[in-house]
Amino acid sequence: PTDEYATWILNPASWGGQIELSIFSRVLRVEIAAFDVIRDRFDVYGTEDKYKRRIMVIYDGIHYDALAFCFDPSLPEEMDVVQFSPKDSVVMERAKALCAEQHRARQFTDTSNFTLRCLVCQEGLVGQKGAQEHAEKTGHTNFAEF
């Protein structure tokens, strides 16, 4: 099973979640604060290991994106801060506020109820389950949200 999982997770089409965040925390030796916009909550992985750095990601129902702080928009993106001290409560409060703001504005995708169209046959579908069933039945794998 370990070899099968390793093969699966290395596939660019595979998506990870909480288990992978925990693994990445240990491999990268960094705390990972993961903010979930759908549920307006967060979890921090790696706190028990007392790492000296923390990175943050935000989940919108489809993707995890890195959170970065930009202190001056005129500076190049490489100047954004992406690693923080686990003791920096101000950064965590700002990230929590961003997550709450995105939640209130419904800036997330509900994968159970979103509407999709198959770009091969143009059939309308509802949710990830509908897309999965359609793909298994037809072999079509190219979908767009509408």
Side-chain angles (χ1 to χ4, degrees):
T2 303
D3 290 339
E4 290 173 21
Y5 173 79
T7 300
W8 174 79
I9 197 62
L10 288 171
N11 180 337
S14 297
W15 294 358
Q18 292 178 328
I19 292 169
E20 289 74 21
L21 289 172
S22 179
I23 292 168
F24 291 149
S25 171
R26 286 203 170 104
V27 169
L28 300 172
R29 302 184 54 75
V30 63
E31 283 187 10
I32 300 176
F35 294 85
D36 181 337
V37 174
I38 298 168
R39 292 169 191 82
D40 189 19
R41 59 164 284 150
F42 71 95
D43 296 290
V44 182
Y45 301 91
T47 55
E48 66 281 356
D49 296 308
K50 308 276 190 251
Y51 297 130
K52 305 232 185 293
R53 299 175 300 141
R54 175 181 288 159
I55 61 173
M56 295 185 284
V57 294
I58 191 164
Y59 179 68
D60 66 2
I62 299 286
H63 302 285
Y64 284 94
D65 292 306
L67 281 180
F69 283 91
C70 170
F71 293 102
D72 184 345
S74 68
L75 294 174
E77 196 173 283
E78 298 82 42
M79 299 300 291
D80 290 354
V81 177
V82 296
Q83 294 185 42
F84 309 92
S85 166
K87 296 176 184 175
D88 192 335
S89 60
V90 173
V91 168
M92 282 298 286
E93 290 304 317
R94 290 180 70 187
K96 284 189 234 178
L98 173 66
C99 185
E101 176 187 311
Q102 294 294 296
H103 176 79
R104 280 190 303 278
R106 299 195 51 81
Q107 294 296 308
F108 57 83
T109 301
D110 177 356
T111 59
S112 298
N113 298 306
F114 65 166
T115 54
L116 297 170
R117 179 166 312 283
C118 174
L119 297 178
V120 176
C121 69
Q122 303 306 309
E123 183 175 336
L125 308 161
V126 176
Q128 183 177 357
K129 184 177 179 189
Q132 224 165 2
E133 289 171 354
H134 181 76
E136 289 170 7
K137 184 174 79 177
T138 64
H140 301 166
T141 58
N142 195 3
F143 305 101
E145 192 172 358
F146 74 100

